[in-house]
């Protein structure tokens, strides 16, 4: 019940202002967000790398309304690529981008987002790393996959994300399961209508397994983005049955969530990548994490009560 309310709140400007300004919010946000500045996020990359974990970095920002903000976001990613290159961390850390931070929702947004993200993908390659295009709400999927197709012509290692809650995703998995294709499979984090997405959690889980089977049977590089122990176990079993080596797929989890499991998988020899968000624009990301799990909301409310 609470999940849809929080997902609606994630897109409300007035609630954004109240939650972002409340000083008590900060310690709870810190559980999920690596810091506001680039140097803070780089410190987290180093400490995760020392634990044997890989990273994908997300400079927080989404749903921008002004083309100038898109340029700022592009520049933040260019600085990130430079920092990864300077510290030779490209082999350990890649970058995740949301095209809505690059202007996708603005008039002419498809071309604008492509023009803004292309230099980032190029800078990533120069730094020895790559970019994965996060997937946002269902209205953006066609445009995001088309931009992916354009980017892959020059940078075939550019990654995609597909969400098992969408009816279309099994077909998208088939289309994306070709040689060298890096695809992160997730359940999906947005509030989607019944016309396009499964509403029942069990259906989303079953779809996740069907999609995982397609990706693991294909020629690409599946990135299993989930904290769900059953999905992790199924991923391991499908890899074993398909004869995939440990470097032919990877697991991905979010910063601050199921850290012991992240370390356990890495210790077993799996490639385990942690999605590390940083930056000042943490509100939408934070609200989606609260929506995913009532216990996180309880944790948030408890800290409000004890401090207030
Ligand atoms: P599920 O929600 O069923 O949770 C399974 C278990 O994991 C829970 O029982 C709990 O133990 C733990 N857990 C899950 N979420 C938690 C939380 N917030 N706090 C604490 N514990 C939690 N979505 C999207 O739409 N577009 C995208 O581009 C991405 N990108 C992305 C990258 C990576 C690396 C990950 C891991 C996830 C995403 N997501 C995403 C988010 C994804 O769609 C989904 O919302 C979350 O991963 C939660 O789904 P699970 O598969 O973890 O399962």
């Amino acid at each position: 019940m609470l999940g849809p309310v929080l997902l609606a709140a994630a897109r409300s400007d007035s609630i954004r202002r109240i939650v972002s300004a409340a000083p008590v919010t900060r310690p709870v946000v810190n559980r999920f967000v690596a810091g506001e500045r680039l140097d803070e996020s780089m410190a987290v990359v180093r400490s995760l790398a020392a634990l044997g974990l890989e990273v994908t970095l997300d400079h927080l920002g989404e749903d921008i309304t002004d083309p100038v903000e898109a340029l700022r976001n592009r520049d933040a990613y260019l600085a990130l690529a430079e920092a990864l290159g300077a510290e030779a961390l490209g082999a350990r850390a890649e970058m995740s981008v949301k095209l809505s931070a690059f202007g996708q929702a603005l008039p002419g947004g498809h071309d604008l987002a492509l023009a803004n993200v292309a230099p980032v993908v190029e800078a990533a390659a120069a730094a020895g790393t790559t970019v994965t295009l996060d997937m946002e709400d269902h209205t953006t999927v066609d445009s995001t996959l088309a931009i992916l197709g354009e980017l892959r012509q020059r940078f075939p290692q550019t990654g995609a994300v597909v969400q098992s809650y969408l009816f279309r995703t099994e077909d998208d998995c088939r289309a994306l399961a070709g040689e060298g294709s890096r695809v992160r499979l997730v359940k999906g984090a947005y509030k989607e209508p019944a016309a396009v997405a499964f509403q029942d959690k069990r259906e989303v889980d079953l779809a996740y397994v069907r999609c995982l089977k397609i990706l693991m049977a294909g020629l690409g590089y599946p990135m299993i983005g989930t904290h769900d122990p059953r999905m992790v176990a199924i991923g391991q079993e499908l890899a074993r049955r398909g004869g995939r080596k440990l470097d032919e797929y990877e697991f991905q989890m979010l910063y601050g969530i199921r850290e012991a499991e992240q370390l356990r998988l890495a210790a077993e020899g799996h490639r385990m990548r942690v999605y590390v968000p940083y930056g000042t624009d943490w509100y939408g990301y934070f609200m989606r994490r609260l929506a995913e799990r009532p216990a996180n909301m309880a944790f948030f409310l408890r800290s409000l009560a004890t401090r207030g």
Side-chain angles (χ1 to χ4, degrees):
M1 277 304 282
L2 194 55
V5 176
L6 289 169
L7 288 176
R11 292 213 142 150
S12 155
D13 271 343
S14 47
I15 301 179
R16 172 195 297 264
R17 277 193 291 277
I18 295 166
V19 174
S20 303
V24 289
T25 309
R26 194 69 240 176
V28 191
V29 172
N30 288 345
R31 184 183 153 193
F32 301 109
V33 175
E36 298 207 335
R37 300 189 317 266
L38 175 58
D39 62 325
E40 292 171 313
S41 74
M42 291 299 289
V44 169
V45 174
R46 277 182 233 112
S47 61
L48 293 173
L51 294 169
L53 299 166
E54 321 276 320
V55 173
T56 182
L57 281 150
D58 167 28
H59 176 262
L60 290 162
E62 55 194 276
D63 293 336
I64 58 144
T65 50
D66 180 343
V68 175
E69 286 178 80
L71 296 178
R72 261 193 239 121
N73 287 327
R74 179 201 64 187
D75 292 348
Y77 273 102
L78 292 176
L80 172 58
E82 201 179 314
L84 291 174
E87 292 202 37
L89 280 168
R92 276 278 182 189
E94 55 135 73
M95 308 193 285
S96 286
V97 307
K98 285 189 174 50
L99 291 177
S100 74
F102 287 76
Q104 191 181 36
L106 301 178
H110 179 89
D111 293 340
L112 184 66
L114 176 58
N116 284 329
V117 79
V120 173
V121 173
E122 194 165 344
T129 186
T130 187
V131 168
T132 294
L133 304 184
D134 282 354
M135 194 57 84
E136 301 179 70
D137 73 73
H138 78 278
T139 62
T140 66
V141 177
D142 282 331
S143 164
T144 299
L145 293 180
I147 289 175
L148 176 82
E150 298 265 357
L151 295 170
R152 279 188 172 176
Q153 286 176 20
R154 276 189 63 209
F155 302 101
Q157 66 277 26
T158 309
V161 178
V162 289
Q163 301 149 318
S164 73
Y165 64 14
L166 294 183
F167 300 148
R168 61 176 287 166
T169 296
E170 275 180 71
D171 287 341
D172 288 334
C173 287
R174 278 185 206 97
L176 289 166
E179 178 122 31
S181 170
R182 297 173 60 256
V183 182
R184 177 197 303 154
L185 175 63
V186 299
K187 292 185 186 175
Y190 296 80
K191 185 176 178 327
E192 297 291 11
V196 299
F198 298 111
Q199 306 294 309
D200 180 40
K201 185 172 162 27
R202 207 180 107 78
E203 299 257 37
V204 177
D205 289 353
L206 289 171
Y208 193 98
V209 176
R210 290 195 298 274
C211 292
L212 194 51
K213 284 183 175 165
I214 296 168
L215 294 175
M216 293 296 266
L219 298 172
Y221 180 77
M223 305 187 280
I224 307 170
T226 185
H227 313 96
D228 186 335
R230 286 168 313 155
M231 301 304 143
V232 170
I234 291 168
Q236 285 176 306
E237 179 57 20
L238 290 173
R240 194 188 61 75
R241 276 196 227 157
R244 275 187 183 262
K245 301 198 193 78
L246 287 171
D247 62 355
E248 291 175 339
Y249 64 100
E250 69 182 41
F251 291 103
Q252 298 191 347
M253 293 188 193
L254 302 177
Y255 179 70
I257 300 181
R258 303 205 69 211
E259 287 147 316
E261 178 68 357
Q262 295 174 12
L263 292 172
R264 185 187 72 80
L265 287 166
E268 279 182 8
H270 288 288
R271 196 176 277 171
M272 176 72 237
R273 192 177 300 278
V274 183
Y275 184 106
V276 174
Y278 73 98
T280 51
D281 193 2
W282 43 260
Y283 175 78
Y285 179 88
F286 174 66
M287 294 301 274
R288 288 195 295 279
R289 301 295 79 82
L290 292 188
E292 271 154 16
R293 201 162 179 241
N296 290 342
M297 189 61 194
F299 176 56
F300 180 46
L301 292 175
R302 256 199 320 277
S303 48
L304 288 181
T306 48
R307 292 179 174 234

